[in-house]
Amino acid sequence: MVHRAIFWAGFGITVRFWQLGLEMRPWFHRSSLYAYPVFAGVGASFGYWLQGVDDRQTAILEDRKQSILEKRARKAARDAQKAEAESS
């Protein structure tokens, strides 16, 4: 989970560098250094939220997979029982 937040924090800092590059302003100016932690924090927050979304979706998919496997097993048992009844 931490790797995703760190990646998005780095992405936030990269966005800040890109923004300053487009504006043709110096990257490290004493009056604007506060923005780097802000961009990193916003990026890390997004990464943390995205990890939660991923965890929830994975849990939903796993539950759905188990439901489908149980349904298939019940159908296979019914089919086997029906075939046994027909052969007798």
Side-chain angles (χ1 to χ4, degrees):
M1 176 167 86
V2 174
H3 68 280
R4 190 167 286 185
I6 290 173
F7 169 78
W8 284 103
F11 183 77
I13 291 172
T14 304
V15 167
R16 178 65 179 165
F17 278 121
W18 186 31
Q19 175 192 24
L20 292 175
L22 288 175
E23 295 175 355
M24 294 184 188
R25 290 175 39 201
W27 284 346
F28 300 110
H29 193 265
R30 185 177 294 275
S31 65
S32 66
L33 285 178
Y34 70 90
Y36 289 102
V38 171
F39 276 73
V42 169
S45 298
F46 178 74
Y48 181 76
W49 171 80
L50 194 61
Q51 182 65 41
V53 169
D54 185 38
D55 291 343
R56 287 189 298 275
Q57 287 181 349
T58 302
I60 290 169
L61 288 174
E62 190 61 36
D63 290 343
R64 181 68 179 143
K65 179 181 174 183
Q66 289 303 318
S67 171
I68 290 171
L69 290 175
E70 290 169 2
K71 185 178 176 182
R72 286 179 183 170
R74 287 193 309 267
K75 184 179 183 322
R78 277 195 320 265
D79 290 346
Q81 191 177 33
K82 187 177 180 181
E84 183 181 311
E86 288 178 358
S87 66
S88 297

